Amino acid sequence: MSETENTRAAAAAQPTVLRADAMLTPAGAVAPAELAFDASGRITYAGSPRPDAELPADAAVHELGGHVLMPGLVNGHTHSAMTLLRGVSDDEGFMPWLAAVQGLEQRLTPADVATGLELALVEMIETGTTAFADMYHWDAGLIELVRGAGMRALIAPASFAPDTVGFPGVSPANGAAVTELTEELAGRYAEDPQIRIAYGPHAPYTCPPEFLSELAERAVERGIPIHTHVSESAAEVAQIQERYGATPAEHLDRVGLFRAEVLAAHCVHLTPGEIELFARTGAAISHNPVSNLKLGNGIAPLPEWQEAGIRLTLGTDSVASNNTLDLFEEIKTATILHRGARLDAAIVRASDVLDIATRRGAEAIGFPETGALEPGRFADVIALDVTGSSATPFTPAALVSHLGFAATGADVRHVFIGGRHVYADGAHRTLDAAAIRARATEARARLAALADPAPAA
Ligand SMILES: [Zn+2]
């Protein structure tokens, strides 16, 4: 990237003070609350309001009565551009769903992928997500869309095998070329506070073991993380058992994957031995409960992961298996799911899931300087309106209860990322949301016309 671009990104924040009814901090709820950050986008104060504090002359002051502040949400696993495939194959099982989705993906053009990504950026920002981990077709042009929107992302160009072209309509790159591209991008964005790059081998059932071994070796050598899918469905576990005589994570361990920094999505069917493997190696898991439920893949053992001290993040997966990028839905689902399944209302707490969706998620995807409202961290912060019916009666003491069980992405009114005000009182400041939605609707209509036979007269 050029120096001008760097300067522009850095200069986008200005000294700012936010005052709100309540704020979620690592020490619990503060009410009423004040958050201040400087022009570098770092938090300088998080606590009770300081009416007499001397503010810089150019400070922006937002009096957000009727709002609460919390850290921006972190989406630990998604495939952004697949917003164009929202609602495809809603009622099929995992493998038929995958076939339907991949059939449409063969038809995507480079412009479609850009439009799908932009739509995801719009939806993520307006529902309070400030950072995400993604695996899909990626190139520098697409990464610049993320930077322009102001979001943070751990970006994994997806690959399958050295000679397999993953997205033929979009790029002629085979797995070997994607590996080279990944390393080139990792070098290019090494100093960028918004972007991290990972290898993205799709899954143990789609990638040959030699390819996974090679990527693991390259990952260790270069310090580049690996983002992959593991043990998503029972069918996958059976396939890997039959092919390699091991469970998926055992198989990945044998090929050396866990020597690298790993972010593994799903992990629904981990054995106790595999859970121990994650705990021992420090590999992170993205918990994607809505996708796992929607595709009939099962209920991942979150309580056991928590007990084992595994690094965790919460993810939506793509909207083709969700069908939204609203992490508040994921937070509530993750909190209540095991209560029902294990007949124990104390087994998962909303405060713990909120922590996974923010601070722990940010650490798991490699942005440890974000994720919590405390001095020194970057101001990745969102403000939610709490004057609506579903928040009433609102008391600051019920902040965690509100955020964990009642809030939705539609309540988000302001989003700051690294102090940059990207969403202001319900309006996007970095993206033309209406134009992007219109382009996405057109693109989907064209894809559908290509895929579906003409309806009978
Ligand atoms: Zn996925």
Side-chain angles (χ1 to χ4, degrees):
M1 90 211 75
S2 73
E3 266 200 31
T4 7
E5 280 171 331
N6 253 334
T7 318
R8 204 187 312 137
Q14 80 179 101
T16 300
V17 173
L18 308 177
R19 297 199 184 101
D21 292 0
M23 172 167 72
L24 189 66
T25 76
V30 175
E34 179 176 310
L35 184 80
F37 48 86
D38 62 19
S40 74
R42 285 191 192 265
I43 296 170
T44 53
Y45 177 80
S48 299
R50 306 163 299 171
D52 303 326
E54 273 184 38
L55 302 176
D58 59 340
V61 179
H62 298 270
E63 299 288 352
L64 298 172
H67 289 72
V68 297
L69 304 177
M70 71 173 290
L73 300 173
V74 176
N75 191 337
H77 178 70
T78 190
H79 312 276
S80 311
M82 289 174 73
T83 48
L84 291 192
L85 307 183
R86 198 188 308 266
V88 166
S89 186
D90 274 334
D91 301 314
E92 312 296 328
F94 179 59
M95 292 298 178
W97 168 87
L98 196 62
V101 163
Q102 287 180 339
L104 282 172
E105 282 181 325
Q106 303 294 307
R107 299 181 169 86
L108 292 177
T109 66
D112 291 335
V113 172
T115 299
L117 167 62
E118 286 187 290
L119 179 60
L121 296 170
V122 165
E123 188 183 352
M124 285 193 277
I125 287 175
E126 67 196 19
T127 55
T129 294
T130 53
F132 63 103
D134 197 281
M135 179 205 297
Y136 211 66
H137 167 74
W138 280 99
D139 56 34
L142 295 167
I143 294 173
E144 289 306 312
L145 295 176
V146 177
R147 293 184 72 245
M151 288 195 77
R152 299 185 200 277
L154 171 65
I155 285 166
S159 58
F160 299 87
D163 52 358
T164 300
V165 178
F167 301 88
V170 183
S171 155
N174 60 20
V178 171
T179 301
E180 259 177 56
L181 171 74
T182 303
E183 290 163 5
E184 194 259 306
L185 294 172
R188 188 189 305 203
Y189 291 102
E191 303 300 322
D192 193 306
Q194 282 174 247
I195 303 296
R196 287 190 80 212
I197 304 293
Y199 296 103
H202 175 261
Y205 62 95
T206 45
C207 297
E210 306 73 34
F211 183 54
L212 292 167
S213 265
E214 189 202 325
L215 288 186
E217 203 162 305
R218 299 178 87 108
V220 171
E221 239 168 62
R222 293 164 176 77
I224 299 174
I226 293 176
H227 182 179
T228 189
H229 296 93
V230 178
S231 268
E232 181 172 4
S233 69
E236 169 189 340
V237 178
Q239 242 181 51
I240 298 292
Q241 274 287 6
E242 196 185 312
R243 267 193 233 164
Y244 307 114
T247 55
E250 272 172 11
H251 166 64
L252 293 175
D253 190 31
R254 285 184 196 168
V255 303
L257 205 84
F258 289 98
R259 292 189 299 126
E261 178 189 340
V262 171
L263 171 61
H266 301 290
C267 299
V268 178
H269 301 283
L270 294 191
T271 62
E274 289 177 310
I275 291 175
E276 205 272 315
L277 171 68
F278 274 83
R280 180 162 36 88
T281 58
I285 293 177
S286 177
H287 182 39
N288 315 313
V290 173
S291 172
N292 296 339
L293 289 172
K294 189 189 174 214
L295 294 175
N297 280 333
I299 297 177
L302 177 66
E304 283 71 19
W305 296 345
Q306 286 269 70
E307 207 176 300
I310 290 172
R311 298 169 65 223
L312 295 175
T313 174
L314 197 62
T316 57
D317 208 350
S318 86
V319 300
S321 61
N322 190 296
N323 298 358
T324 84
L325 294 168
D326 182 351
L327 275 165
F328 284 99
E329 190 180 284
E330 217 71 38
I331 290 167
K332 181 172 180 175
T333 305
T335 305
I336 62 179
L337 181 57
H338 291 88
R339 299 180 179 202
R342 312 249 182 123
L343 308 182
D344 178 359
I347 197 161
V348 178
R349 301 181 66 82
S351 53
D352 289 334
V353 176
L354 285 166
D355 199 31
I356 293 169
T358 55
R359 183 186 61 85
R360 291 177 66 187
E363 285 168 5
I365 73 165
F367 296 104
E369 291 189 297
T370 69
L373 302 183
E374 60 186 4
R377 299 218 190 202
F378 281 112
D380 291 15
V381 54
I382 63 177
L384 286 82
D385 184 330
V386 288
T387 61
S389 305
S390 63
T392 305
F394 180 77
T395 59
L399 181 62
V400 166
S401 161
H402 177 67
L403 296 174
F405 295 104
T408 77
D411 302 327
V412 174
R413 300 298 298 169
H414 293 271
V415 177
F416 295 83
I417 307 176
R420 185 177 177 193
H421 202 177
V422 299
Y423 190 63
D425 206 16
H428 287 273
R429 299 180 78 186
T430 57
L431 294 159
D432 185 346
I436 289 165
R437 282 193 286 264
R439 278 209 303 280
T441 302
E442 274 169 37
R444 175 59 178 272
R446 187 178 44 74
L447 286 172
L450 288 170
D452 298 338

